[in-house]
Amino acid sequence: MAHARARRNPADGRAPVRRAAATVGVVFLLVGLLGFVPGITTDFGDLRFAGHGSGAKLLGVFQVSVLHNAVHLAFGLAGLALSRTWDGARTFLIGGGAIYLVLWLYGLVVDHGSGANFIPVNNADNWLHLVLGAGMIALGVLTTRDRRPR
């Protein structure tokens, strides 16, 4: 009778931090692309390059602009590129998480109706940035706490 431990894991040989970074990278790419899809992004006709005047909302909740979507795409590409090494993957998750926590703080202090809200962000984005930042940092720490790169 085969034991569960005897089954080959298709992810064997790839560090968990690398899988986590690649997964987060793919999610960011998908979100960035979906931000350009009418219907998934409501009020698509109000999509602007940047600024608080962009009325488009991903899933009808998260305010987006071309710049905001481009940032998601760039984070996705960075995640995939950096997931190729243990150190790169860890840097992406922890460093990217820190960037998202800074973005969360920015969203808390910026007047959402002002020109300073150039990304743009709304309250839903703020909560998502907090969860993303904390989650990415947690993934970076928890998937690398037991060993150094091979």
Side-chain angles (χ1 to χ4, degrees):
M1 179 175 199
H3 190 272
R5 290 179 162 250
R7 282 188 242 148
R8 186 183 184 293
N9 180 348
D12 279 350
R14 194 161 178 213
V17 68
R18 292 183 57 211
R19 287 193 308 271
T23 301
V24 171
V26 167
V27 169
F28 273 114
L29 279 175
L30 289 173
V31 168
L33 291 172
L34 291 175
F36 292 112
V37 178
I40 294 175
T41 298
T42 60
D43 299 320
F44 189 78
D46 293 331
L47 183 70
R48 302 291 178 261
F49 176 75
H52 69 284
S54 185
K57 292 185 178 177
L58 182 62
L59 304 174
V61 178
F62 305 101
Q63 188 175 9
V64 292
S65 66
V66 173
L67 177 62
H68 202 148
N69 292 334
V71 168
H72 291 142
L73 291 170
F75 255 81
L77 291 173
L80 290 178
L82 291 169
S83 72
R84 296 177 65 153
T85 67
W86 190 95
D87 285 325
R90 186 171 195 270
T91 298
F92 169 71
L93 290 170
I94 294 173
I99 290 169
Y100 267 90
L101 289 179
V102 169
L103 187 55
W104 166 66
L105 291 172
Y106 165 80
L108 291 178
V109 299
V110 71
D111 177 0
H112 291 184
S114 75
N117 188 14
F118 67 96
I119 293 176
V121 294
N122 63 12
N123 287 330
D125 289 307
N126 290 343
W127 285 105
L128 181 60
H129 294 155
L130 172 62
V131 170
L132 279 172
M136 288 175 71
I137 290 170
L139 275 172
V141 170
L142 294 174
T143 58
T144 59
R145 66 181 175 168
D146 292 336
R147 66 176 187 238
R148 289 294 304 155
R150 297 177 197 181

